[in-house]
Every structure is written in C-alpha cells, then in structure tokens.
Amino acid sequence: MSEINNNFIHDIIDKDLENGFSRPIHTRFPPEPNGYLHIGSAKAIWINYTTAKKYGGLFNLRYDDTNPSKEGDEYVKSIYEDLCWLGAQPTGGIFYGSDYFDKCYEYAVKLIKEGKAYVCDLSPEQMREYRGTLTEPGKNSPYRDRSVEENLDLFERMKNGEFPDGSRTLRAKIDMASPNINLRDPAIYRILHTHHHRQGDKWCIYPLYDYAHPIQDALEGITHSLCSIEFENHRPLYDWVVDNIGFENKPHQYEFARLNVTYTVMSKRYLRELVETGVADGWDDPRLPTLSGLRRRGYTPSSIFEFVKRAGVAKAYSTVDIELLEHCIRDELNTVAPRRICILDPIKLEITNYPEGKVEYFDLPNNPNDENAGTRKLPFTRELYIDRSDFAEVPPPKFFRLKPEGEVRLMGAYIIKCQEIVKDEEGNITCIKCTADLEAGNGNPTDGRKVKGTIHWLSASEAQDVNVMLYDRLFTLENMGDMEENTSYNDYYNADSVQKLTGCKMEKALTEAKGGDKFQFVRTGYFAKDTKYENTFNRIVSLKDSFPAKK
C-alpha cells in the first residue's frame, strides 16, 4: 500500500494528540447495503482505513442498515468482499446499525422524558411546509407541546404497530428558527412496516440516519467520524444527539470532499437502473465505476488506492480526470504484466519461400522491464496471422508497417516483404503473400538495409480463438455535473461503451490464464481474463498514456 501523505484530517488528529488526546484513534466505514460499492466508496475506505493504520488505531466496518426497504444480504456480502479485496480488513470488527435499534429506542425514550423529543402527526408534505426556507424561519408543529406522558404513550404505540406508515414521526425538539434547517426539529424516527433483512419483523419504526449514526459511533468508541462533505451541515445535529444523550466519550465528525471522476457517475440509483434494465451486465459490468466492475475489468486494489491517494484529501469539491486512474493501473502493469500476443482483427499471411510443414521457435521476452521474467518460445510456420491494421494497400504517409513491396520485421523473427495481395469476389483482402529474409533470420540484414516497422504475428495452426471486450467511457460528457437543463444521464450514455470482438487469435499460452490474470497484449493494451465468461479477455486500458508522469 502506498505511503500515506499528510492531509488535513491527519493534521487534526496530530493536533488532538498534541493537546493530550489519549484514546486510541478509531475510525469506521459505514456503507448502506442498498447497492454495490463504487470508486467513490474507495476514497472513504482509504481515508478511514489508512488513518487508523497510521496512528495504530482500529477501523470498523459498520453496515448502515436502517432503511430496510432497499437493503439486502446480496449487498452486505458484496461490500465485505470489496473491502477484503482492497486489503482494508476491519481491524476493529464488523457491526450492523440495526443491532443498535434497542439502544436507539432506549435513548429516544430518554429524550422524550427530558422534553427533548415529541411525536408529531404532520404529514411529510406539512412538515416541509412548516420547516421554512433558507431565508425564512420555520414554525412550530401544533403537536410540539404534547406532554411527556402523551409522547411516551404514542411512541410506544408507534413501536407496537398501531399506526400506518408515514402517519407519525418522532422529532427532536431543537429550534424551528435555527438558521441551520437540519436543526428545525428533525425527524428521528419514522413508521415503516417493512421486513428487515437482519431484524426480521421485530420493528415497524426505524431511526433516521442523522439520529442513529452518532449513537452508533459513540457506542463503538469511534473517535473521528470521517464522512463526505454533504454531511457538514448535519454536524450540529450529530453533536446535538451525542451531547443530549450524554455520552462520556464523544465522537467528532469531520468532512472531506467526495470523489467525482470524469465520464462517470456515482449515483447508486442510476447504476441500479442500468443493472435492472439490462443495459449493464450486472453490478460487476466492467464499464461501471463499481469496485466489482473495476475488479472484473482488471484494475487492482493498489492502483485504485494509488489513484485515491494522488487525487488527494481536501474539503473543496473537484472532479478528477479518469485518465489519472488509467495512468495508475497502466503504470503498475507496465512493470509486472507478462507480455503476450493477441491479434484482434486477424488476416492470413503466407510466407511463400518458407517450407511447408516446418515449425521453428523464436524466443520472445515475457516482460522487457523485468530481466528475471525470462522468455517464451513462439512457434513460426508458413501460414501466419497478423493484424489487419498492420497492412495498408494504399498506405498513408509515414506508414512503416506492411505495404505492397514494403518490408517489416515480424516481432522477434524474420523480415518479410509483401509480394502479392489475394482478394475475394467482393474485393476484400483474404491473404497477403510475402517472402522472408531467411538468411538474416531474426538478425539484421547482411546488406545493411534498414527496416523501420515491427509487427506482431502468430502461427495460423497454433493460434487459439478468443473473444475480446473493448470497453470505453460510460458517458459522452466529460463532467456529468455540466448536464444541460431538462436532460438526464440517459441523454449522455455512450452507446459505444463496449465492443465485443469475436474470432480474435491468441497465443496458446493464454489458454492457461485464470480469471483475473492480467497481461499486456503487445502493441495493443492491457487486458484481463474475464471472471464471468469463458474464453474472454477484457481490455483494462490501452497502451497510450497521456496523463502527466508522476513527479
């Protein structure tokens, strides 16, 4: 894992420690199990996990399962798998927000008894109307001054299931004139007759996040509750809950900017729509920003954490170029990925002066950047495949690949010269006939002539068929925050975000690859063996890197 750079969160903790803070640093990652984690989640994981690690503290995984209508065990399982895949095992334990429901109820009763909470009969629409605006104060609910006894009775009856969904809420009694709308008597409990994936049908009232979360933090001993910036205005309510319940060891909330990436969105609602409508091939579709999708595509935990680290930790909103993510995986794989040959658009090539039936082997490096990676032997025969893009019947200027009467080097093998083009009745090229400089072999020509181009190749009799998936950006708009008025995500969906190539040719060694194995297909890009479909490789990124080199 990358060395942890200083950031404003660490500065806060350093100052706390200098001022005598003596409790072990304790952080948590609190995902709601209503979808799969995405790369934005990876930032929150990285910040919380590496902060705890840096200070020798503890890191919890806590499922925020307080909204049962959209949650499920599938998401619980996927979240834990993603966390483990990233290498961020929860050293402090695994917890569920729903396991604190009894304590949340107990503390709600305490607030009622102290006159700090009341049962309100206003409908959601009426509550919005009473709440006021950013420039106008709210007005008190007509139910705000109910007696403690009446509130206790109604709250218990809410718990016992006597009232329909949405008919009543329990609200904190704070200040309807507060300039912070979140403090205008926020609802802390609502009625919801819904089966819970973990608690079953025990409860028909559920605590809201702003009430439950600080309680969960306090009960688990969280010291620094690190969350995204949209909760900054909720921090006074967080503190109100902690202070008025009366916890001795109080957690404190600190906010950082969310991770936004070009050409994608982090909306779980929209990602779920893509999955449920069949546009995406499941939550692990390699085009999606989900961690399972990135994993299936071929990204590594270290490349994702390196991306998050280099994107930085700050409070200001920003959108990070997806090319930085691509640079991180490309930079990593360039060093470690074995080289293999795969021809995406094969065309037959015949060496007319090479003996029929003869097979010889040429050594090709497994990784030129790793002297310990060794070489492999590639069979050479009279009939070969090359990529169609490496031949031009009418070549453009400065075309150094194969052309009529032109010479190129077959990578690691002979120099060949194009002699004849064979076409079918429709004028399509079906075969290119060449001669090889058999005397020079895989060395330089004896007459001193220079050959500029080198192309990759495979023996036609030894090559294996394979499917290749070419993935592109999910959206056509660079910054999805710049969508025009009256448009939706669907208006910017890239219909060409995936291209399936069949009939590609790969070298035989690739048949032994296991799901998730990664390679550089020479002159083509970085690819990973798909974990879902047989005999399929997914393009992770191309070879080209336009992102500035790391300083």
Side-chain angles (χ1 to χ4, degrees), residues 212-240:
H213 190 69
I215 292 174
Q216 297 158 3
D217 282 348
L219 292 175
E220 289 177 17
I222 301 303
T223 57
H224 296 75
S225 184
L226 311 176
C227 59
S228 49
I229 198 71
E230 65 264 30
F231 290 102
E232 184 173 32
N233 290 334
H234 296 245
R235 193 195 319 148
L237 178 54
Y238 183 102
D239 292 338
W240 185 92

Side-chain angles (χ1 to χ4, degrees), residues 152-163:
L152 288 173
D153 175 65
L154 288 172
F155 189 50
E156 183 175 2
R157 291 169 65 189
M158 285 170 61
K159 177 177 75 73
N160 294 337
E162 293 186 26
F163 307 120

Side-chain angles (χ1 to χ4, degrees), residues 366-385:
N366 288 322
N367 189 335
N369 295 325
D370 181 2
E371 60 182 18
N372 297 318
T375 61
R376 67 194 189 283
K377 294 186 178 297
L378 209 64
F380 188 95
T381 55
R382 179 184 174 95
E383 291 189 341
L384 307 171
Y385 287 115

Side-chain angles (χ1 to χ4, degrees), residues 44 102 107 175 178 211 285 301 430 459 481 521:
D102 286 302
Y107 294 137
D175 182 5
S178 171
Y211 170 72
D285 188 305
T430 59
S459 164
F521 288 176

Side-chain angles (χ1 to χ4, degrees), residues 316-365:
Y317 278 111
S318 64
T319 299
V320 184
D321 197 326
I322 196 171
E323 289 188 0
L324 175 58
L325 174 62
E326 295 168 348
H327 168 81
C328 290
I329 185 63
R330 188 183 286 113
D331 194 47
E332 177 181 322
L333 294 182
N334 183 49
T335 303
V336 301
R339 273 49 171 175
R340 296 292 184 264
I341 291 178
C342 182
I343 299 174
L344 304 189
D345 188 9
I347 186 172
K348 187 73 68 71
L349 184 145
E350 182 182 354
I351 310 297
T352 57
N353 64 333
Y354 194 83
E356 292 191 25
K358 180 180 178 180
V359 181
E360 63 180 314
Y361 293 86
F362 289 99
D363 290 329
L364 271 72

Side-chain angles (χ1 to χ4, degrees), residues 253-311:
Q253 176 179 301
Y254 303 94
E255 307 86 17
F256 55 85
R258 297 178 65 177
L259 178 62
N260 296 305
V261 183
T262 57
Y263 296 105
T264 193
V265 296
M266 305 296 179
S267 166
K268 280 195 285 188
R269 180 181 301 177
Y270 182 70
L271 296 178
R272 184 185 296 110
E273 178 184 325
L274 291 176
V275 173
E276 292 177 350
T277 57
V279 174
D281 180 28
W283 284 95
D284 62 351
D285 188 305
R287 294 169 292 175
L288 299 186
T290 57
L291 294 180
S292 56
L294 291 167
R295 177 165 65 246
R296 182 178 161 201
R297 182 158 174 173
Y299 279 86
T300 62
S302 51
S303 67
I304 291 173
F305 273 174
E306 179 65 19
F307 167 68
V308 170
K309 174 188 171 186
R310 294 189 62 186

